[in-house]
Amino acid sequence: MSDLKYYFSIFLRRLHYFLIVSVIVTAVSVIAAFTLPPAYESQTRLLLEGPQIPAELASSTVMVGLAEQLEIIEQRLMTRANLLAVARNQNAFEDIQEMTADEIVEAMRARTIIQTPGGRNPTPIMNITFEARSPQIAAGVLNEYLTLIEQQNAEFRTTRAGNTLEFFQQEVARLGQDLDAQSARILEFKTKNSGALPDSLEYRLDQQATLQEQVRQIDRDIATLRNQRTRLVEVFEATGQITEEQAAPRLSPDEERLQELRAQLDEALSVYSETNPRVRVLQARIAQIEERLAKAPEDAPDAAAPAPQRPGATMLDLQLSEIDTRISMLQEQRAETEDRLAELSESLARTPANTVALDELTRAYANIEEQYNLAVDRLAQASTGERIESLSRGQRISVIE
């Protein structure tokens, strides 16, 4: 209690000092209040709203986070060009005509306060405040700020969505051209190697087996005819004549072969369909032999020969001439068959390499096709996103206060 009385007595003894300081401070404050120009503030609060269409149904292609979007708005607003244009349009400062561009920009940034929320999950709200010498200027500057924010945000989102759409349009066109070019390469390769492709391998193997069997049959027919010729000569030399059975006309090798092929065709049709490769080979072979028989002369050409020395010589010459003609025809047929076999063997030898090359071309085509389908799908999404932004159905900025 004694301490309080002691301090109070000291305060009373020095009261005149406190009064002098208070009077001076009060006088300075009153003078400053009457001499300094008045200052007015205009403030607005902006809310960044999410997309109006659910992302599960249709999503925009402008994928920008809320915090990033607020930062973009602030940086685009506070550019040098924007601040100079707003300050000169609103005549923000009394001596603005005498101020340099740097001074105007610095003054505008000093009088503009932008507050954005912080934290891990901030609310997308932005507060903008501007201080001016009159309420009309403060409100006018802030209104221009809002106009710039809305325009630049709309331009930013529509431009980005349009660029995305344009990129995928170009990508679809490029991949479509690549797909056509790869198709042309595959077609050219198949045309160039039409006889040695893997899809006809089974057919060519069956054809090779059939031709090899034909060669063996022709060899047997030639051997039979040569044996028959030898027997005829031996019989004639031994007896001086030819029996009616020996002189009786016989079927030519082509006619015998034709009968065998027709029998084989009947058996094949009882098991396979008409589109089976073996059936087709038999039909083609039968048509070939029928055509050759149609062109062959009905009788062997007569050859001038001396008068026979013994009875039956003329018949022997006719029989030998007919056998020689048949052997000659069979040999020509064998040569043709051997040529076809050589072509088949060459095509079969090229088939493995063609298979590898064709598989490589097909894989490249499948890869390009997959990329093309993906690009088409993304183009559809980009088109939807661009329409969402053009109709202002994506993120937008609203003035809430």
Side-chain angles (χ1 to χ4, degrees):
M1 192 65 180
S2 59
D3 292 338
L4 292 176
K5 290 181 179 180
Y6 172 73
Y7 289 118
F8 184 69
S9 63
I10 293 176
F11 173 74
L12 291 177
R13 287 197 300 270
R14 291 173 172 78
L15 180 61
H16 57 283
Y17 296 114
F18 289 103
L19 292 175
I20 293 172
V21 172
S22 300
V23 170
I24 293 173
V25 172
T26 302
V28 171
S29 300
V30 171
I31 293 171
F34 282 97
T35 56
L36 291 177
Y40 301 90
E41 284 187 353
S42 180
Q43 184 178 16
T44 186
R45 179 174 294 178
L46 305 179
L47 174 64
L48 185 61
E49 298 181 358
Q52 298 181 1
I53 300 176
E56 294 79 6
L57 300 179
S59 61
S60 173
T61 54
V62 184
M63 309 301 293
V64 181
L66 296 178
E68 182 182 357
Q69 183 73 11
L70 294 176
E71 182 67 23
I72 291 174
I73 293 172
E74 180 179 354
Q75 296 301 323
R76 292 171 69 91
L77 174 64
M78 300 303 291
T79 59
R80 180 185 180 88
N82 287 342
L83 294 178
L84 285 174
V86 172
R88 288 168 179 168
N89 290 339
Q90 298 296 325
N91 195 20
F93 309 108
E94 290 181 347
D95 53 351
I96 191 171
Q97 301 299 332
E98 301 176 358
M99 299 173 64
T100 63
D102 292 337
E103 292 174 346
I104 295 174
V105 172
E106 290 298 328
M108 290 292 292
R109 288 176 177 170
R111 287 166 174 76
T112 302
I113 300 175
I114 299 178
Q115 296 176 340
T116 55
R120 180 174 298 179
N121 297 311
T123 303
I125 295 178
M126 173 183 286
N127 294 318
I128 303 177
T129 304
F130 184 77
E131 179 183 332
R133 67 179 187 276
S134 69
Q136 292 81 9
I137 295 176
V141 170
L142 205 60
N143 285 333
E144 288 208 26
Y145 278 173
L146 293 177
T147 302
L148 287 172
I149 288 174
E150 291 177 351
Q151 290 179 351
Q152 293 180 353
N153 183 65
E155 291 176 0
F156 166 77
R157 299 188 67 84
T158 55
T159 300
R160 180 169 289 192
N163 291 338
T164 303
L165 177 62
E166 182 180 1
F167 170 78
F168 282 109
Q169 287 174 341
Q170 296 175 354
E171 192 70 5
V172 168
R174 181 185 67 83
L175 290 172
Q177 293 176 356
D178 293 345
L179 205 60
D180 294 339
Q182 189 65 20
S183 298
R185 283 192 287 270
I186 293 176
L187 179 60
E188 180 183 2
F189 181 84
K190 286 186 175 181
T191 303
K192 185 178 179 180
N193 301 275
S194 58
L197 295 176
D199 53 359
S200 63
L201 177 61
E202 183 178 357
Y203 169 76
R204 285 181 285 120
L205 289 174
D206 292 341
Q207 192 175 20
Q208 184 187 41
T210 301
L211 292 177
Q212 290 173 346
E213 178 60 28
Q214 289 179 9
V215 170
R216 289 192 290 269
Q217 182 62 40
I218 290 172
D219 290 339
R220 288 194 294 268
D221 292 341
I222 291 175
T224 301
L225 288 173
R226 286 175 176 171
N227 292 333
Q228 181 182 356
R229 189 180 191 281
T230 302
R231 286 198 303 272
L232 286 174
V233 173
E234 292 176 351
V235 170
F236 182 78
E237 290 177 350
T239 62
Q241 60 182 357
I242 301 176
T243 63
E244 295 182 358
E245 180 180 356
Q246 293 170 338
R250 298 181 58 187
L251 294 177
S252 66
D254 280 344
E255 291 173 341
E256 294 177 355
R257 183 60 180 160
L258 182 61
Q259 290 182 354
E260 294 178 2
L261 289 175
R262 285 175 177 173
Q264 293 178 12
L265 179 62
D266 293 337
E267 294 179 0
L269 287 174
S270 65
V271 179
Y272 306 107
S273 65
E274 293 184 358
T275 58
N276 187 268
R278 180 173 179 81
V279 174
R280 290 183 176 180
V281 170
L282 290 173
Q283 290 174 342
R285 188 59 186 155
I286 289 173
Q288 182 181 7
I289 295 177
E290 289 176 346
E291 181 180 359
R292 186 164 57 245
L293 288 175
K295 294 180 180 180
E298 296 181 357
D299 298 322
D302 296 334
Q309 299 294 328
R310 293 178 291 176
T314 302
M315 185 64 67
L316 175 65
D317 292 339
L318 291 174
Q319 290 293 318
L320 294 179
S321 177
E322 180 182 357
I323 292 174
D324 291 339
T325 301
R326 292 179 181 178
I327 292 175
S328 178
M329 293 174 61
L330 287 174
Q331 288 174 342
E332 292 178 359
Q333 181 181 349
R334 189 182 190 284
E336 293 176 359
T337 306
E338 288 288 348
D339 292 340
R340 294 177 60 190
L341 273 174
E343 293 177 359
L344 276 176
S345 299
E346 191 271 338
S347 69
L348 290 172
R350 290 190 292 115
T351 299
N354 289 342
T355 302
V356 174
L358 186 60
D359 288 344
E360 183 178 356
L361 291 173
T362 305
R363 284 195 302 270
Y365 180 87
N367 292 335
I368 297 174
E369 185 179 26
E370 183 179 358
Q371 296 176 16
Y372 177 81
N373 293 333
L374 183 60
V376 169
D377 181 63
R378 290 179 176 176
L379 175 61
Q381 297 179 9
S383 178
T384 302
E386 192 273 340
R387 183 161 180 79
I388 288 174
E389 294 300 335
S390 64
L391 297 176
S392 300
R393 295 295 186 268
Q395 290 183 354
R396 63 177 184 176
I397 297 174
S398 301
V399 180
I400 61 176
E401 185 177 351

